[in-house]
Structure formats: C-alpha cells, structure tokens
Amino acid sequence: MIEHLDSALVNWSRAQFALTAMYHWLFVPLTLGITFIIAFMETLYVKTGDPEWKKATKFWMTLFGINFVIGVATGIILEFEFGTNWSYYSWFVGDIFGAPLAIEGIMAFFMESTFIAIMFFGWNKVSKKFHLISTWLVAIGSNLSALWILVANGWMQFPTGMQFNPEMARNEMINFWDVILSPVAINKFLHTVTSAYVLSAIFVIGVSAWFLLKGREQVMAKRSIIIASVFGLLSSLFLVYTGDGSAYQVAQKQPMKLAAMEGLYNGKTEAGIVVIGVPTPGKEFDDNKDEFVFKFEIPQLLSFLGYGDTEAFVPGVKDLMEGGFEYTGENGEKQIAISAQQKIEKGKIAINALAEYKDAKEIEDIKKQEESLEVFRENFKYFGYGFLNDPKSIIPNVPLTFYSFHIMVGLGFYFIILFVAVIILIFRGKLVEKRWLLRLAIFTIPLAYIASMSGWIVAEFGRQPWVIQDLLPTVAAVSHIDASAVQITFWLFTVIFTALLIAELKIMIKQIKIGPKEGGH
Amino acid sequence: MFENLSHLLLQQYWWIIISLLGAILVFLLFVQGGQTLIYSLGKTDMERRILVNSLGRKWEFTFTTLVTFGGAFFASFPLFYSTSFGGAYWVWMLILFAFIIQAISYEYRSKPDNFLGAKTYEVFLFINGALGTILLGTAVATFFTGSEFSINEMNFSRWEGAARGLELALNVHNLSLGLAVFFLARVLAILYFMNNVEDENILKRSKKQLIVNAIPFVVFFLVFVIWLMFIDGFAYDPTSKEVFYEPYKYLHNFIQMPLVLIIFLLGVVLVLYGIGISILKTTSNGIWFSGAGTIFTVLALFLIAGFNNTSFYPSTYDLQSSLTIENASSSKYTLKAMTYVSLMVPFVIAYIWYAWKSINNKKINAEEMSEDTHVY
C-alpha cells in the first residue's frame, strides 16, 4: 500500500501542518471569546443606553476585527491542507470528516461572515436591537465553527460511529449521532472553547490594566475588567471540570497519551499525579533509569481521575509496549493487553487480508473473499499498527507531552488565582492602587497564549504516531509529494504568516494606544 | 424523508449542490476582478478608497463560499479531494496563497502602523484578483481536459503529471477558461461598481473599461466553449462503469439534457444582455442580469461535466482511474445525513439576503467614507 516511506516528506508535512495549525490557533481563541465579551457589553449598552458601554463595545470590536481577519487567512489553508498534504487520510476518513466540515461551512461560516458585516457596518443603518442580535450571532456563529472542526478532531482521537468498507478501502459513517455526540468530541469542544474564553478574558483584563496604569479611559477599563474577570473565572471553573473530563477520556481511549502526559513509564495502582517534576532526559521505556530526576506528586489522584477508583491500575509506557496487564474492554469485559509487537503483527495480518480480499475479488473467488474478509474483520482493530515496523514508534515524545501538559495545567490554576484577585480588588475599588497586579495582568497575556498552545501540543503530539487513533498512523496518511516541494511551501508559509503576525501585532498595539474614540473607528 | 432515495440520486443531488456552489463562487469572484481594477478605475486616493470599501463589504462572501465549496466537495466527493488536492499540489497551493494574502488586506490597508504599507496590501489584492481567478478557472477546466493521475485498488491516488499541477496551467484550453474567468470577473466587478458606487468619474471610467474587458472575455469564452463542443469527452458505461472516449461527448450532453442546454443558453444571453445594456444605456442593473447569467452558465458547465455518465475528473494517464460522481462519492449514509443539513440552505440564503438588504440600501460615496464608523 505504501511502497517506500520518505521520512523527510513525513516530517516536512507534519512541520507544515503544525506551523499552519499553530499560527491559526494564535488568533482563533481571541475571536471565540472576545465576541461574547463584546456581546455582553453591547447588551448592557442597549439596556442602559449608556454611551460609555457603546464606546467600550466599539473599542473591543476594532481589536476583534484586526484579529479576526488573520484567523480567517490562516484558517483557509488548514481546510485544504487535509487534501494537499494528507491525501490518503482525506480519502480514508473523508466519509466521516467531510460531513462536519460541510455543515460548518453551511451553518457556521455564513452566519459569522454575514452578521460580522452588520456588526461593523450596520451601526447607523439597522436598529439597535438588530445590531445587538447580529453581534450575538457572530459570537454564536464563530463558536459553532469551532464545534464542527472539534467534532472532527475528536473523532480522530476516538473513532466511532463508523465501519470500514473493504470495497472502497475507507471508513464509512454508520451513525451520525455517535460521531457528533461522542463523549470525546463533546468534551474536546467544551474544553477548547472555554479555554478560548479564559484567554480572551485575560487579553481584555491585560489591555484594560494598561489603560489603568496609564491613567486613561478609567471607566471603560474598569468596566471591561469587571466583565472579563467574571467571565474568565466562570469559564476557568468550567475549564477545570472539562479538563477532568478530558483526563478521563484520555485514560479510557488513549492510555499511551496519558502515560506520556504524566511521564509514567512503569504502570501502577494508586498512581499519583505529578504536580511538578523533571522527567529523566534520554529515558527509554526499557532501560532501568528512574522516571524522574525529581517530582512532587499527589498520591492516588491519577488512578482516581482516570478510572474513578483510587486503586485502579494505570498502565505506563512500558506496560503498553509489553502488554500483559488487565484492562476493561469496550464491552465491559476484563481483558489482557497484548504487546505493541503483537499489535503490529495483527495489523499486518489485517492489511494483508484486505489485499487478499481485493485479489480474490478480481478473480471472483467468493470463498476466498469471505475467508479473507473474516480475517480482516478480526484484526481490523489494529489496522493502523500494520503500517508500522518498529514497536517503539507507538511512543510519543514523552518530555514534550509531559511539559506541555504541566505548563497548561499550572498556568490554568494561576489564571484562576488572578481572576479571583482581580475581582476582589476591583469590587473593593482598590485595583488601581495595586500597580504590580496591573503589570502582572499585562504580562499574563502571553502566558494565556502559551497555555492554550500547550494544550494543543498535548492533544496532538501526545497522540502520535496516530492521525486516527489505532487506525491510521501519520506516516501512512501523507500525500506523496517531493519532500522539497513541501519544504518550499513550509518556508513560504513561515515567511508570509510571520509577516502577517508582525503586521497584526503592530496594528493591534497601535489601535490600543490610540484607544477608544467617541463614535469609534 | 430522504430514506428512500437511491445512492445515485443522492450523488446527483450533491453534484447539483457542488455545481451551484461553484457557480455562485464564480459570480462572487467579481470581488477578485474588482481588486485588479482599483488603479484603472480609481485615480485619486478617495476614489480608490471608495472602490476598496465597496469591495471590502463583499469579500468575505466570496471567501466563505470558496471555503464551503471546498468543504462540500470534500464531504460529498472525497476521492476528488484526495486526488486533486494532494496531486495538483502547486496549483492549489498558489490559489491558497492568493487567498491568504487577501483576507487581511482590506482590514490592514488603511490602518496606521501596518508594517507593510498600504501599497503592499493593494498589491496583495491585485495578486489575489489575478491569480485567484485564472487558477480557479484553470482548475475547473481540467474537469474537461483531464489530468495525469492513477488510483490503485485501495483508492490511493498518485499524481503522474510532471510539475505537480503546474503542467495544467500550461494547457492552452485550461488557460483560455482561466482567462475567460479572469475577464468575466472584471466585467462583473465593473457592473457591480456601476450598481454600488455613486461617483461620476468612476462611473465614466467604468463604462470604458467595460468594453475593454468584455471583448477578451467573449473571445476566450467562445474559444473554450466551441472547442469543448468538438472534443472527445470522457464517458462511462453506466453498467460496467468502464470509462471511454466519446466523440462530441459534451455536445451530446447538451443535446441529451435539453434543460441544461436551455440553462446554458439563457445564462449566456443574460450575461451578454447585462453587459449590453450597461454599455448602451444608463443603468445600474447590469450586474443582476450578468450575475444571474454567470450562475446559470457555470451551473450548466458543471452539469455537463458530471451528469449523463460523464467522468467529472478524468485521468488522461489511466482512463479507468477517472473519477465519476459514482465512484468518487461518499457513502449513501453520509450523503443522506448531509442532505438533511442542506435543507438549511434556503434559510441561510434568506438571512444573508435580509442582512444585506438592511445595510446596503444606499450607494457608497465619498461622503460615507468620512462619516462611516468602519472604513477600510
């Protein structure tokens, strides 16, 4: 099926996708969250008629606009990259993945782009109410866009609601609701969008803090801080809740990712969660080095979060490689895990059986067709492993996943403390005096972006080598293009996106310095 | 509701949707066409500003339609997506680059401290306008001219063309459709300006430019269509699914599907009528005729590419690898699920219409540029 693997091609294709996806994600979270903050403000404006609220609405809307267009620019490439760089992938899953994407286009994108026009150009042309509804629809539309693409991503982490059709050599959807209501997909959506709300809240607080430090626009800044900090705190609490849900899902569906997130090589019962730690550099799953140079952990918590039982066994990298531990399968029965090597063998059996089936079909040998199809079905669960040769290739980058995960969680808790502090101080009327806190708030803006990116690194690096969990590894999904072509487009993207990022930042900073105007701009 | 539809019927339904989206997209490319005219129609800063703002309120529509077109194609005919996008890599990448630089240009052009300077963003708009239209036209022409690729029994596609799709842009027939789309986009843009902009100088120059652009459009379009009527097309046998060359295939498609022929002729007449009245009379309604005509014409061209047992994405390298709406489509279940979703489309069109009507009831002019709250 894949004749020779060009590792340069795979690496450049991955690099390009990572680059474009991360650039896209630099802009998306602010779009998702700030639209709600703007909608709250405009609602207050319409309710109270207070022009201060209108001024605030328009100011944040200007920043939103600058950020939004670059999100659009970096987004179009992702959609088409599925085809250009991951050709086999787009066939293998097109029957499932395409539907959410099309729905996204029809339902969400048009809603977003139509009502954005009213939001920006309609101030003097439509009624206040209609304008307000438009602003809310932009917020809902942009979040709906996120829903469908995250459903698709959730499906890749946990394929469900489908059946492999050997005739077409692809997965076909057999239950739409299983795909979109998959617990992994729903959890992923909620966790991702709320993380975006937290980031947006921090952005608004940070920028407002700057105004307070400069002694400008006090009313607008304080009001913005009140809205953003309450919104941010509520979102943060929900973020913890969905984060817990994510941990549970990962434990069930992607145990290798969980092991990497926690740097857990040797599985154990009553496993704890590492709060702070340094994984031993260069550690291999089969050597005798310690897992950590040092660590501080909360005992039993990982077993509890992952399996709802403090006694539960959490398999480590080594266990997943070697098998032999007991786990509860999808049908609720106790099973003994097999080793990575055995999975690869079964995967190869599946791939061979599929080829035999195709041959038998060619010569119209019905009996042979049935036989090979049965062998194929028995081993399909490990289909993706058949593309791999080295069992070690099923281990993701452990230190990267570990650190990203811990940075994300650590910052997430820091944000909660910040929100609480800001809320208490602003309601006591003492925020402006605490200049160090205002400075800290500005400094926190980049941290919010780092936390957000780290989350995606955990999700996407942590599941390597899979594009689709257990069914299709990255190496088999790639389009067969010259590695040099991908290299060229990689650098082109780097140059263009970086130039656009610089432009965006400069324009954004300038607009913040200009500040809100009466009547807006 | 759609439970009893056959797979073939669903495939045909989705080909119609794709065709319709493609047709609307070509119409909306007037935004791109307009971007190549900013300097020919606008001689002062204010005039250019009016033109940019007039287009700036529509660009997202074109963009969103392109994205939806791509998404719907992926969803309904994924084998096309994996074959063409992964194969004709350079053509699609160039198209994408052209659209990436468009998205930010409107918003950033006139903002202070914009790093690259207003001029650069205007050049971006021009590149998008020229490259976007020509390459999209070229890509669509390959539905008739074919590409070089093969597909194995696992539906794993392999591009056999030497230059990863760039070879397609060198084919004279592809290029003639590409240029026809380019000039059509400019013609539509001029008609759009005549409808949307209130400025005497711009109007005067528009009339002149209309003739200058209409002539090459008609020439390139005729060259392509006449050639198309006489070539061997890519037909397939409905029972054995075998693909073969059929002389005069596309002419036959018109004759065997008279309704499509009527749509096509009506479209062409409307396009020409819109141009004609705009040259001869003082009217701002040309865009409605030519716009509707464009949608009809492109719709008909898509339909003869995919209907009546025709391969819509033929391979000249290996005829049997050619893609048809039957072998490239999603499963019956997926198409059915999406068909339910497509019921939303009229609702979407209705709110777009309503929203636009509510802010678009007045022509754009110099006065508005200084008073409006959000100006590009």
Side-chain angles (χ1 to χ4, degrees), chain B residues 306-328:
Chain B
F307 272 15
N308 199 28
N309 306 317
T310 313
S311 157
F312 75 86
Y313 201 64
S315 170
T316 49
Y317 175 86
D318 168 32
L319 214 48
Q320 300 316 318
S321 289
S322 299
L323 307 187
T324 68
I325 59 169
E326 290 185 58
N327 69 17

Side-chain angles (χ1 to χ4, degrees), chain A residues 155-421:
Chain A
W155 187 86
M156 290 158 69
Q157 315 270 353
F158 171 57
T160 181
M162 92 300 186
Q163 193 169 41
F164 190 85
N165 177 351
E167 223 61 61
M168 304 294 276
R170 70 169 171 198
N171 289 287
E172 293 184 350
M173 185 157 68
I174 53 168
N175 191 327
F176 180 72
W177 302 110
D178 278 358
V179 173
I180 67 158
L181 298 177
S182 137
V184 175
I186 296 298
N187 205 83
K188 180 165 264 307
F189 168 68
L190 294 175
H191 193 62
T192 310
V193 296
T194 36
S195 80
Y197 302 160
V198 171
L199 179 142
S200 307
I202 288 170
F203 177 86
V204 171
I205 293 174
V207 173
S208 305
W210 181 82
F211 281 114
L212 291 183
L213 278 174
K214 291 276 162 194
R216 289 173 55 189
E217 306 298 341
Q218 303 272 337
V219 179
M220 184 196 85
K222 282 184 196 160
R223 285 184 177 183
S224 298
I225 286 178
I226 291 174
I227 300 237
S229 54
V230 173
F231 182 57
L233 181 63
L234 293 177
S235 300
S236 282
L237 297 177
F238 194 65
L239 198 57
V240 174
Y241 173 71
T242 51
D244 171 50
S246 289
Y248 178 77
Q249 295 299 345
V250 170
Q252 306 297 316
K253 317 289 197 300
Q254 297 171 302
M256 184 61 96
K257 189 197 266 185
L258 186 75
M261 280 156 67
E262 278 298 308
L264 184 69
Y265 281 92
N266 301 306
K268 51 188 156 195
T269 52
E270 302 186 17
I273 274 192
V274 178
V275 178
I276 287 182
V278 175
T280 309
K283 162 89 182 149
E284 297 275 342
F285 81 95
D286 49 0
D287 63 21
N288 289 324
K289 289 184 193 164
D290 282 339
E291 292 173 350
F292 285 90
V293 179
F294 100 93
K295 69 173 171 181
F296 169 70
E297 68 173 17
I298 304 174
Q300 299 183 337
L301 192 57
L302 186 61
S303 290
F304 181 72
L305 291 180
Y307 299 91
D309 173 7
T310 51
E311 307 270 298
F313 177 76
V314 181
V317 176
K318 190 167 195 279
D319 308 279
L320 292 162
M321 288 298 289
E322 293 173 352
F325 62 92
E326 197 183 66
Y327 72 104
T328 313
E330 273 166 44
N331 45 13
E333 281 172 33
K334 295 273 182 209
Q335 290 172 354
I336 300 293
I338 60 172
S339 72
Q341 183 61 43
Q342 285 167 310
K343 288 179 180 174
I344 289 177
E345 280 156 19
K346 282 175 180 284
K348 293 207 185 292
I349 292 172
I351 290 175
N352 278 336
L354 183 60
E356 275 172 21
Y357 167 78
K358 291 277 183 187
D359 290 343
K361 191 148 178 150
E362 194 91 341
I363 54 169
E364 292 176 12
D365 182 343
I366 308 251
K367 191 161 167 285
K368 180 86 183 140
Q369 281 181 47
E370 281 169 5
E371 279 171 13
S372 40
L373 212 50
E374 203 183 313
V375 177
F376 173 75
R377 294 239 158 88
E378 271 169 24
N379 295 285
F380 175 69
K381 201 175 151 194
Y382 303 106
F383 186 77
Y385 287 89
F387 293 101
L388 305 172
N389 292 316
D390 179 6
K392 275 190 194 169
S393 57
I394 72 158
I395 308 175
N397 185 329
V398 175
L400 181 67
T401 314
F402 174 86
Y403 284 120
S404 306
F405 176 63
H406 285 79
I407 287 171
M408 171 186 79
V409 174
L411 286 173
F413 281 105
Y414 157 66
F415 299 150
I416 294 181
I417 297 169
L418 183 76
F419 288 135
V420 172

Side-chain angles (χ1 to χ4, degrees), chain A residues 3 58 66 72 79-80 83-85 87-88 90-91 95 98 111 121 125 168 170 173 176 480 489 504 521, chain B residues 63 67 70-71 74-75 81-82 85-86 89 96 108 155-156 158 164 329-331 333-334 351 368 373-374:
Chain A
E3 301 91 55
K58 281 190 155 185
I66 297 164
V72 172
E79 176 189 354
F80 288 92
T84 54
N85 292 81
S87 161
Y88 190 60
S90 59
W91 170 248
D95 197 62
M111 188 192 259
F121 303 113
K125 294 180 177 161
M168 304 294 276
R170 70 169 171 198
M173 185 157 68
F176 180 72
H480 286 211
T489 48
E504 197 252 8
H521 178 69
Chain B
F63 202 93
V67 171
F74 187 12
Y81 205 82
S82 64
F85 286 77
Y89 188 73
L96 289 174
Y108 291 1
N155 278 320
F156 198 108
R158 183 193 249 325
R164 279 279 157 190
S329 89
S330 277
S331 67
Y333 182 89
T334 293
Y351 76 62
E368 190 179 338
T373 52
H374 195 85

Side-chain angles (χ1 to χ4, degrees), chain A residues 1-3 16 58 65-66 68-70 72-73 76-77 79-80 82-85 87-88 90-91 94-95 97-99 101-103 105-107 109-111 113-118 120-126 130 168-170 172-176 354-355 358 476 479-481 485-486 488-489 492-493 496-497 499-500 502-504 506-507 510-511 514 519-521, chain B residues 14 49 53 56-57 59-61 63-72 74-75 78-79 81-83 85-87 89-90 92-93 96-97 99-101 103-104 107-108 111-116 121 124 152-158 164 326-331 333-334 337-338 341-342 344-345 348 351-352 354-356 358-361 368 371-376:
Chain A
M1 205 150 164
I2 29 174
E3 301 91 55
Q16 177 169 310
K58 281 190 155 185
I66 297 164
F68 175 76
V69 286
I70 190 163
V72 172
I76 188 171
I77 183 66
E79 176 189 354
F80 288 92
F82 294 130
T84 54
N85 292 81
S87 161
Y88 190 60
S90 59
W91 170 248
D95 197 62
F97 202 105
L101 206 63
I103 298 173
I106 293 171
M107 286 178 59
F109 287 165
F110 277 109
M111 188 192 259
S113 58
T114 304
F115 292 102
I116 259 184
I118 296 195
F120 280 117
F121 303 113
W123 281 109
N124 306 325
K125 294 180 177 161
V126 301
F130 185 29
M168 304 294 276
R170 70 169 171 198
E172 293 184 350
M173 185 157 68
I174 53 168
N175 191 327
F176 180 72
L354 183 60
K358 291 277 183 187
S479 305
H480 286 211
I481 314 167
V486 184
I488 294 169
T489 48
L492 279 173
F493 281 123
I496 292 189
F497 283 176
L500 297 186
I502 295 170
E504 197 252 8
K506 287 185 74 135
I507 294 172
K510 183 78 186 172
Q511 288 297 324
I514 292 172
H521 178 69
Chain B
W14 275 92
R49 193 164 190 196
N53 275 278
R57 298 177 187 188
W59 76 267
E60 263 201 272
F61 260 142
F63 202 93
T64 308
T65 308
L66 174 66
V67 171
T68 305
F69 177 71
F74 187 12
L79 194 54
Y81 205 82
S82 64
T83 304
F85 286 77
Y89 188 73
W90 280 114
W92 292 113
M93 278 293 160
L96 289 174
F97 277 114
F99 277 89
I100 288 169
I101 56 176
I104 37 88
E107 183 74 25
Y108 291 1
K111 289 265 187 325
D113 231 357
N114 64 8
F115 182 47
L116 300 171
Y121 293 108
F124 281 175
N152 73 9
E153 73 286 354
M154 297 293 173
N155 278 320
F156 198 108
S157 63
R158 183 193 249 325
R164 279 279 157 190
E326 290 185 58
N327 69 17
S329 89
S330 277
S331 67
Y333 182 89
T334 293
M338 284 165 33
V341 176
S342 72
M344 298 281 292
V345 171
V348 173
Y351 76 62
I352 291 176
Y354 179 73
W356 273 110
S358 57
I359 56 168
N360 235 20
N361 45 17
E368 190 179 338
E371 76 178 24
D372 202 53
T373 52
H374 195 85
V375 176
Y376 291 126

